[in-house]
Amino acid sequence: MRSDSSQAFGALYADHHGWLRGVLSKKLGCRHRAEDLTHDTFLKVLANKAMQSLQEPRAFLTTVAHGLVVSLWRRQDLERAYIDALQVQGQTLHGSPEARAEAVQALVEIDELLDGLPPKASRAFLMAQLDGLTYAEIAEELGVSDRMVKKYMAQVMDKLLRRSN
């Protein structure tokens, strides 16, 4: 016997899967990506547990799917920037597709970490990590005090620690 939640999910999927796939296919212009994101949307809904009380299932599905589309576009932008940066440095894509995917995933995680932080905190972190600048050099570049740079770095580290727990 299936539980009420399994039945509710099954009905939601049966009633709206084709519709959502069509919406995403039009938005993305790619049937395969649309199918992947439709699948991912329903996986997120399945994990949500509030599914039985949905008053507007299509609005809910659209909201979840929209978040996934934005994440996809953001990831694609980061991947393009990574490839462009390699080309600017005169490098070509070396390594396996898995290694490139891991590099892009690391960039996505850094992007997510920095998202929501004040812009100067994000810039300070990137200057320290990517450019190897000292706090004094960062302070001069940002037009703030060394103490403020320490505060920015503490914000980043705090967010990093909270994220890893």
Side-chain angles (χ1 to χ4, degrees), residues 85-148:
L86 288 178
Q87 290 173 342
V88 165
Q89 295 176 353
Q91 299 178 19
T92 57
L93 293 176
H94 295 291
S96 67
E98 292 84 9
R100 288 192 304 269
E102 286 177 11
V104 170
Q105 183 58 36
L107 290 171
V108 168
E109 290 176 16
I110 291 167
D111 183 58
E112 289 172 355
L113 168 74
L114 297 177
D115 188 42
L117 287 172
K120 284 188 177 182
S122 298
R123 285 190 56 211
F125 176 77
L126 292 173
M127 288 175 174
Q129 298 301 313
L130 300 178
D131 301 329
L133 298 181
T134 65
Y135 284 9
E137 293 168 327
I138 295 168
E140 185 177 324
E141 182 74 25
L142 295 178
V144 298
S145 67
D146 289 6
R147 183 179 171 135
M148 197 66 209

Side-chain angles (χ1 to χ4, degrees), residues 6 13-14 34 40 42 92 95 129 158:
S6 293
Y13 186 89
D40 292 348
F42 278 99
T92 57
Q129 298 301 313
D158 181 58

Side-chain angles (χ1 to χ4, degrees), residues 59-74:
F60 180 73
L61 290 170
T62 301
T63 300
V64 173
H66 177 73
L68 292 171
V69 168
V70 169
S71 293
L72 171 70
W73 288 340
R74 198 171 190 170

Side-chain angles (χ1 to χ4, degrees), residues 32 129 162:
H32 300 291
Q129 298 301 313
R162 281 186 278 127

